[in-house]
Amino acid sequence: MTAALLALASASAYAVSTVIGHRAAAYALSGDGSWWSRAGRLLRRPGFVLGQALGALGLVLHAAALAVGLVVVVQPILCVGLVLALALGALVDRRHPDRPLPGRGQWWSAGMVVAGLVVFLTSAAPTAGSGAAVSWALPAAVGALAAASAAVGFAVHRGRLRRPAAALAACSGLAFGLTGVLLKAVLALPVTAWPLAWAVYALVGVGLAGTALAQWSYAAGPLVQSQPVASALEPVVAVALAGPVFAEGLAGGPVAHLVQLAGLVLLVAGVVGVGRCATARDARRGSSDPAGDEDRVPVLASYG
């Protein structure tokens, strides 16, 4: 229960950070002036500073949740942040008649996220495992991610993929899902062991790689092709690795596994639905928004 509450608090902090930081960036980066002058305006805005502080708080709460709880519980709950960001963004945008509010499709998708999460967690009845990473599983996952990312990056660079944004986003989602697992592995070690622990450097490297791949995917195609893929894969990867890495268990039996799969599919479909509805809506918007193009980035784009 403590881990679930911490994960929910982390999701809330991430959601508020996303909305506040996004609004601050939209107004600061729009308008005339050089890139440096606009960046300076952004750094001076209290909303941007507050958004970054809340993002840091979300990270601390995320780490605390993983320290006391299971990956299969914490990582799916973080998807609730999408729903909270959607609701908070709609509340803020109600004061701006020129900004369209979320449509029915987004709200239905948000409901699917919550319903899928409830179904998965109640049917999973997760149990604690070893608490420490199995020696071979985590390095194998990091190596597989590195190989897949290198192959996709090479193929995109050579122009051999029809949907490069989706392929890069898939690698980004894999990286962010693996980041949560690595974070728990690092937290299981004593602080004095961190300087010599390979997992610490893998955590930094995978996190930076995920961010770089996400930005590359944004530049390679529309958000509707990239962000939903990354956001959907993140919890799936974390749940898939929790067993082989930490020996975390789920309730057994064919019926239980079927219900767990249904809940996870519903959760992922909701995440994808929120992203696709948001990016499709923003793509249809005109240029009448005074905040400029930056304000047309969907709330979901700040996740992952």
Side-chain angles (χ1 to χ4, degrees):
M1 180 62 70
T2 301
L5 291 176
L6 286 170
L8 187 59
S10 174
S12 301
Y14 281 139
V16 178
S17 170
T18 296
V19 174
I20 293 178
H22 174 254
R23 266 50 179 188
Y27 283 106
L29 297 178
S30 60
D32 299 329
S34 64
W35 186 92
W36 288 107
S37 64
R38 288 184 291 169
R41 289 201 302 268
L42 176 62
L43 294 175
R44 291 192 298 269
R45 288 190 69 89
F48 174 78
V49 177
L50 178 59
Q52 299 308 303
L54 288 171
L57 175 61
L59 179 61
V60 172
L61 291 170
H62 184 188
L66 287 173
V68 300
L70 305 178
V71 172
V72 294
V73 173
V74 173
Q75 293 302 123
I77 288 178
L78 292 181
C79 292
V80 175
L82 294 172
V83 180
L84 297 175
L86 182 69
L88 182 58
L91 182 64
V92 172
D93 286 344
R94 286 179 66 89
R95 297 179 298 173
H96 302 272
D98 53 330
R99 296 180 184 174
L101 297 176
R104 182 180 300 177
Q106 279 185 279
W107 291 120
W108 274 106
S109 297
M112 290 170 61
V113 172
V114 177
L117 179 64
V118 172
V119 170
F120 174 76
L121 291 180
T122 54
S123 62
T127 56
S130 63
V134 178
S135 60
W136 62 267
L138 197 53
V142 173
L145 172 66
S149 299
V152 169
F154 179 79
V156 171
H157 181 70
R158 293 288 186 176
R160 296 176 180 175
L161 297 180
R162 294 183 58 185
R163 290 181 175 268
L168 291 167
C171 291
S172 174
L174 293 174
F176 286 129
L178 183 55
T179 297
V181 179
L182 283 166
L183 179 59
K184 183 172 179 62
V186 169
L187 293 172
L189 301 172
V191 177
T192 54
W194 285 5
L196 298 178
W198 74 271
V200 174
Y201 302 100
L203 173 62
V204 175
V206 171
L208 292 176
T211 302
L213 288 165
Q215 297 303 316
W216 193 0
S217 71
Y218 298 157
L223 281 171
V224 72
Q225 293 182 7
S226 59
Q227 191 61 39
V229 176
S231 298
L233 279 176
E234 183 176 350
V236 172
V237 170
V239 170
L241 288 175
V245 174
F246 298 110
E248 295 181 3
L250 302 178
V255 176
H257 288 327
L258 184 61
V259 177
Q260 293 159 18
L261 179 60
L264 195 59
V265 169
L266 190 62
L267 172 67
V268 171
V271 170
V272 173
V274 171
R276 292 187 67 86
C277 291
T279 50
R281 181 201 68 187
D282 292 334
R284 291 194 299 267
R285 290 177 61 180
S287 59
S288 58
D289 195 324
D293 292 339
E294 289 80 4
D295 196 43
R296 291 199 289 273
V297 178
V299 168
L300 183 60
S302 296
Y303 282 86

